[in-house]
Amino acid sequence: MKKVICRSIFVLLAVGGFAALAICIQLGVTQGFDEWVYGWVSQTITPVLTEFLKIITYAGDVFVIIGICVLLLIIPGTRKKVGIPASISVAVAIGLSVMFKHIFSRPRPSVLRLIEETGFSFPSAHAMLSSALYIMLILVCKYLKSILAKIVLVPCLSALILVVAYSRVYLGVHYITDIIGGWLIGFAITLIVYTVCRLTFLKR
């Protein structure tokens, strides 16, 4: 029960943070911060890094994320304790991403774009979906039998979330506040879905 309360507090903080961030963006308060972060990131642009990030950014692409969920659902050993929670989390994230983007209708950055993207900017769907999936995988990796898999998965998935987020700013298709907003909602979704799954069919 204490863990459920703790998760609920984190969810409220994440949702509250998202709401506060959305208001600040609408008021133009974050513009200086967004520009400062992009200015710093743009100094790291190199041909090799650009090609690498053009590939790694697909780890947050909706079709790749859905493909991973389908794979987890197909494999019998991961279906119940990994595939179902991850798929629910991603499905909710996709729906909320579409809704929020249309509600806020924030244009994408007008800086140099290294890839082409369409649609609105806030919140970042890549950040939201990658956090919804990969954080869920971190949470449910306790159900894996292999200790080595647990040791490898947690830092790798954590790094992947960060690198995907970095790639979106680097490639000029998102502001850092889009990323933060996506993380906050993705994190909240994951905790809610994980808690519900734990209370229903997931066992220690």
Side-chain angles (χ1 to χ4, degrees):
M1 191 62 182
K2 290 182 179 180
K3 290 184 178 180
V4 173
I5 295 174
C6 184
R7 292 189 202 111
S8 299
I9 293 173
F10 279 121
V11 169
L12 290 175
L13 289 174
V15 173
F18 177 82
L21 179 63
I23 292 172
C24 289
I25 289 173
Q26 294 298 306
L27 295 175
V29 176
T30 64
Q31 183 177 350
F33 177 63
D34 284 322
E35 292 176 352
W36 177 78
V37 172
Y38 179 74
W40 175 78
V41 171
S42 65
Q43 295 178 17
T44 67
I45 294 177
T46 65
V48 175
L49 184 57
T50 298
E51 293 306 312
F52 170 72
L53 292 179
K54 282 182 178 180
I55 296 172
I56 204 68
T57 197
Y58 281 106
D61 183 81
V62 62
F63 296 109
V64 173
I65 295 290
I66 291 175
I68 294 173
C69 289
V70 170
L71 184 62
L72 292 172
L73 288 171
I74 291 175
I75 301 173
T78 62
R79 181 178 299 129
K80 180 180 179 181
K81 294 185 176 181
V82 181
I84 293 177
S87 297
I88 294 173
S89 182
V90 167
V92 174
I94 291 173
L96 289 180
S97 172
V98 173
M99 182 182 74
F100 284 137
K101 280 181 178 290
H102 282 85
I103 288 175
F104 297 109
S105 301
R106 186 186 196 186
R108 290 185 183 271
S110 57
V111 296
L112 173 65
R113 293 189 190 177
L114 302 179
I115 60 172
E116 286 300 319
E117 286 285 5
T118 58
F120 296 115
S121 191
F122 180 81
S124 165
H126 276 64
M128 187 185 296
L129 296 181
S130 61
S131 60
L133 174 60
Y134 301 132
I135 290 176
M136 179 62 79
L137 294 182
I138 290 172
L139 291 174
V140 300
C141 74
K142 67 172 70 174
Y143 299 110
L144 297 176
K145 295 180 180 179
S146 172
I147 297 178
L148 179 60
K150 297 177 184 179
I151 295 174
V152 172
L153 274 178
V154 173
C156 287
L157 291 174
S158 300
L160 189 57
I161 293 172
L162 294 174
V163 175
V164 168
Y166 180 80
S167 74
R168 305 309 287 170
V169 177
Y170 178 100
L171 295 171
V173 293
H174 275 298
Y175 299 103
I176 185 61
T177 45
D178 298 331
I179 302 299
I180 296 172
W183 276 346
L184 289 171
I185 290 299
F187 178 69
I189 291 169
T190 304
L191 282 187
I192 293 172
V193 173
Y194 177 73
T195 300
V196 172
C197 290
R198 279 295 305 271
L199 293 174
T200 53
F201 63 88
L202 286 181
K203 303 296 181 182
R204 289 186 179 275

